[in-house]
Amino acid sequence: MNNTIPNILSNNNFTVTNIIRLLKSNDGDLKLLYNRAKEVKESIVGNKVYLRGLIEFSNICQKDCLYCGIRKSNTNAKRYFLSDEEIIQAAKFAFDQNYASIVLQSGEMSSPSFTERIDRLIKRIVKITGSEFGITLSCGEQNDSTYAKWFNSGANRYLIRIETSNEELYHKIHPRNGAHNFQKRIESLRVLKNIGYQVGTGVMVGLPGQTLSHIADDILFMKALDIDMCGIGPYIEHKETPLFEQRSTLMPLNARFELTLKVLAIIRIMMKDINIAASTALQSIDKLGREKAIQVAANVFMPNITPQSYRKNYNLYDNKPCIAESPVECQSCTVARINLANGKVAFGETGDSKHYITRKMIV
Ligand code: SAM
Ligand code: SF4
């Protein structure tokens, strides 16, 4: 038997079949998988956990992803856009607390007034925080010149989850129209990389219609794309979305959680030096979800620093955690959670992806 779990792990033999085998592992085999991921994590990225203050600055979205609670057609979503001053204050809070980086996340908008406004905000944030501060954008697909403009103004990381690397499945979870174009989303990742961003992507785990073979392909897709950062979370239903109708076909939440942890472990083993986020969605299934992700694979934590009154409206999925807390409460919770996971909070460190640093040295 060549494809025993110890053989796969010691030979680094990550074919689709072998990844599926790892995804199916249980008991002693699962322990081996987690132990190997922990070893890689410890030796390559260490136990530091980098902070990214997450500012969910707007839930206004021009898209209609069938899984997302803030999709355009959800008329029950109460829309908001933080004022410039609220965004700047949040960024300043992160800077003052020594987080060393932020993520600006929103629904997707592409109007000139939106792109100009983000550009002005990036410049103001750089002015306050200095050029060393990490600014990650997660504002959806934009045109090439907007990505370049934001980069030149001081943003240095960009996250676009591909959601699934399987085109057929992609079309089952998005409307079939020009606004939800699979090839354009992949192309965005290439453009961002060429511009010079640290580039992150990821998928949802446990989507309706998703198989282990799809997930194995997702992992190989990310490896082939040579990504710098990764954000993976379980898919969680939202009552007011079209995909909710397929809830009876889903695996139970705890199985989605376990499968997500396995995916993170495999990614850490295969893409040793990238940054991996402990996603908030993990915590909505298991109270210690983010700690478990840190123990196995993750080295990035995103404390929510969105002003408290807006949080309930950034309602991507049911039971989203950290809705009732303030940025200060999220800070003490963050430190406690990272300590509990035997991580070391890397205050004051931007935590650039090691993979990105190496990639830049080689070019
Ligand atoms: N609008 C931007 C975009 O889509 O790239 C960024 C914000 S979007 C809310 C961030 C991520 O939330 C998506 O990439 C998706 O993976 C995740 N998300 C949305 N709905 C979800 C759900 N029901 N369960 C889990 N994750 C979800
Ligand atoms: Fe909009 Fe992003 Fe939600 Fe899709 S996932 S509906 S682009 S906020």
Side-chain angles (χ1 to χ4, degrees):
M1 276 276 281
N2 274 336
N3 66 343
T4 62
I5 300 293
N7 275 350
I8 296 169
L9 294 175
S10 57
N11 298 333
N12 289 317
N13 189 6
F14 298 110
T15 59
V16 171
T17 314
N18 287 346
I19 294 174
I20 293 174
R21 205 126 148 62
L22 292 168
L23 292 171
K24 284 183 177 167
S25 58
N26 280 313
D27 305 326
D29 280 348
L30 183 55
K31 223 172 184 176
L32 287 178
L33 171 65
Y34 287 162
N35 283 343
R36 178 78 187 120
K38 284 178 195 172
E39 267 167 36
V40 171
K41 186 186 167 215
E42 208 168 300
S43 65
I44 309 290
V45 295
N47 70 342
K48 279 187 186 169
V49 178
Y50 302 102
L51 302 180
R52 319 272 180 246
L54 174 63
I55 310 172
E56 298 163 334
F57 68 87
S58 160
N59 69 352
I60 302 170
C61 190
Q62 64 198 10
K63 278 197 171 174
D64 242 341
C65 307
L66 302 179
Y67 43 84
C68 178
I70 61 171
R71 64 197 297 270
K72 180 175 81 175
S73 298
N74 185 6
T75 49
N76 292 329
K78 195 170 163 231
R79 304 292 167 175
Y80 71 87
F81 202 127
L82 264 59
S83 69
D84 284 7
E85 289 323 304
E86 284 169 322
I87 296 171
I88 296 296
Q89 279 315 309
K92 201 169 170 314
F93 173 85
F95 180 67
D96 290 343
Q97 300 302 320
N98 233 350
Y99 286 5
S101 82
I102 53 168
V103 178
L104 288 170
Q105 190 180 85
S106 67
E108 186 176 304
M109 289 170 80
S110 54
S111 62
S113 63
F114 174 80
T115 57
E116 286 302 324
R117 185 169 171 192
I118 299 305
D119 195 56
R120 282 195 305 272
L121 283 163
I122 294 167
K123 287 179 179 151
R124 280 186 68 186
I125 293 169
V126 171
K127 226 177 195 170
I128 295 167
T129 59
S131 59
E132 291 303 303
F133 196 71
I135 303 177
T136 305
L137 300 177
S138 172
C139 305
E141 292 160 50
Q142 304 291 334
N143 62 37
D144 299 5
S145 58
T146 300
Y147 292 138
K149 190 182 169 93
W150 289 348
F151 182 78
N152 291 331
S153 295
N156 34 34
R157 304 160 181 169
Y158 210 107
L159 289 171
I160 295 190
R161 283 191 184 175
I162 187 67
E163 320 296 0
T164 167
S165 63
N166 182 283
E167 189 159 7
E168 208 184 314
L169 182 59
Y170 188 88
H171 289 305
K172 287 186 180 154
I173 61 169
H174 296 94
R176 262 188 195 272
N177 61 31
H180 302 80
N181 185 319
F182 178 73
Q183 293 301 340
K184 181 171 178 244
R185 202 152 175 95
I186 295 185
E187 187 50 28
S188 284
L189 294 168
R190 299 213 169 91
V191 170
L192 289 162
K193 202 165 165 188
N194 285 340
I195 290 171
Y197 281 98
Q198 295 178 51
V199 177
T201 191
V203 297
M204 285 176 283
V205 174
L207 287 162
Q210 187 184 48
T211 62
L212 293 186
S213 173
H214 288 140
I215 297 176
D217 286 343
D218 290 340
I219 296 171
L220 289 167
F221 168 87
M222 288 184 265
K223 174 82 180 159
L225 212 67
D226 199 26
I227 58 170
D228 304 306
M229 317 182 290
C230 177
I232 303 257
Y235 160 68
I236 300 172
E237 310 85 303
H238 185 295
K239 285 186 191 61
E240 293 156 354
T241 60
L243 232 55
F244 190 67
E245 284 162 28
Q246 296 181 42
R247 64 191 178 285
S248 64
T249 67
L250 297 172
M251 66 178 95
L253 280 171
N254 59 352
R256 269 178 259 169
F257 177 84
E258 191 65 52
L259 188 56
T260 307
L261 272 195
K262 290 178 187 173
V263 173
L264 293 179
I266 297 168
I267 289 177
R268 174 55 74 205
I269 297 166
M270 288 177 63
M271 293 162 245
K272 299 181 175 16
D273 56 355
I274 67 168
N275 279 346
I276 299 180
S279 74
T280 312
L282 282 166
Q283 195 180 315
S284 76
I285 300 181
D286 182 325
K287 283 200 173 74
L288 297 178
R290 289 198 276 185
E291 289 84 330
K292 289 179 183 174
I294 290 170
Q295 278 167 348
V296 168
N299 66 332
V300 166
F301 195 100
M302 299 194 285
N304 197 324
I305 56 169
T306 310
Q308 196 264 329
S309 60
Y310 296 98
R311 294 185 187 196
K312 61 180 179 307
N313 297 320
Y314 202 79
N315 190 18
L316 308 180
Y317 45 82
D318 293 335
N319 302 319
K320 188 165 173 271
C322 313
I323 299 271
E325 288 79 7
S326 68
V328 173
E329 285 165 332
C330 281
Q331 151 128 341
S332 46
C333 172
T334 295
V335 173
R337 285 182 185 281
I338 294 173
N339 286 338
L340 195 66
N342 297 322
K344 187 170 181 300
V345 186
F347 281 116
E349 296 186 48
T350 53
D352 286 326
S353 156
K354 272 195 172 179
H355 186 77
Y356 173 81
I357 296 167
T358 312
R359 184 159 78 70
K360 283 286 149 193
M361 282 189 318
I362 293 167
V363 167

